[in-house]
Amino acid sequence: MALNLSLSQQNALRLTLVFVLFEVLAALAVVFLLMLPMAQRATSDLAGLMVLSAQTWNELPPETRAAFEQELARSHGLTLSEEPPAGATPLAWGGPYLRELAVQLAERTDGLADLTGTRDEKGRWLWARLPGGGRTLWLGFPRSRIGTQPLATALLTLTAALVLAGLAAWWLGERTVAPLRRFDAAAAALGRGETPGLLPETGPRELAALARRFNRLVRQVQELLDARTTLLAGLSHDLRTPLARMRLALEMVERRPDPAWIERLDADLEEMNRLIGDVLDLARGLGRDAALPVDLAELLGDLADRAWETGTEVQVRCPMLHISVPPAALRRLLGNLLANAQRHAGTGPVEIRVELLPDGCKIGILDRGPGIPGDQLETVFNPFHRVDASRDPATGGTGLGLAIVRQLAQANGWRVWLENRPDGGLAAWVQVPNRDAEERMLPTLKKRSMREAENDD
């Protein structure tokens, strides 16, 4: 069964394995690259000294041997004896140093030397049996002379590795899990319908990027909730006006039947139907359609023709350009902007202008109306926001046209914005990316009056 470990526990386990593996590799490197070469050099010197000491003792006169033994013990820590040590036992395992010492002694005595060990009140001693002068001598030195403790070293470093692994796991866990705990609490609050505070966009690059995305999500959710509240409030407000007129018209029809009141009822029903349709379109989010090749000049010319039929002079300045876009979405977006320009431009002309960009084009609907105050150029895209405070549909529409424009642009990856023209009027721009756009011919100015003149000829 898989263990359900926390992030800190998983980090501790991984770090422990890494530290233990590192300890093994370091121990092997120290043994083969440091200890063995040093042991070879040290044991070679010690074996040569021991053999030379035995040979020198054999060659000295008997009366000077005691002084030589004292000097050997004082200067080199070696004890020389003619009698075998009591309780000596063969060495089972003495580590790389003693094994190498036995090899060096065997090479210098033709394999006649061997090592044994004893233990007494002075501690552990190591003895080498050396032949010389027809007799056998014993040279001993304390076990502490070697001084190496490989087992204690391994245990100490392993313990240190485990402690460091635990501390590192705790430190990494606090640095990593603390932001995740904040994410979890914020996500839980968001799931309950609350608006959590924005997360700090600091720390490691990945966590900072995740915090930025989460904060963007929180802002989007808040904007959606605000838009929903505004949508419902605006819809209920705007439906009251035609309902009141319809109630009045019904009372008048009851008292004095007149076809004009029936026409007013019809107009109010149509206004309510249009308003509800716009609200439903906005609520559905206006999903993205498939992109198709579109002749932009032809599409804009068709929009201009429809505007001319309503009495608005529309000029189109567009190169013969084919772009790949969802045609219905682009037509509706530009139609809403053009209707907005017609409503506010009065009797002045409206211009549709296309400017080529390195990665597509931007389409502008330019009018000579009163423009929009600078502080409302962005807020007019909110549902039911009207520059005209009277909320008269004749001058301000339903207040959803530009909101639908923004939804269409966001759904298709376009950018839409408004700006006041320096010499008066408003310009509504839509930037449409199209990397495969191909310019067909030089820009031409198309006017309705020119087309009518050509038809007359």
Side-chain angles (χ1 to χ4, degrees), residues 258-279:
D258 190 339
W261 294 112
I262 303 298
E263 292 179 4
R264 290 187 182 182
L265 284 172
D266 244 356
D268 288 334
L269 287 173
E270 182 61 29
E271 179 184 338
M272 293 172 63
N273 186 56
R274 184 174 65 255
L275 176 62
I276 293 173
D278 287 345
V279 170

Side-chain angles (χ1 to χ4, degrees), residues 93-121:
W93 169 253
Y97 185 90
L98 294 182
R99 184 179 59 186
E100 187 63 28
L101 178 61
V103 171
Q104 295 290 342
L105 288 172
E107 290 178 355
R108 286 169 171 78
T109 60
D110 297 329
L112 299 176
D114 58 1
L115 291 176
T116 59
T118 62
R119 181 186 292 272
D120 55 19
E121 65 277 0

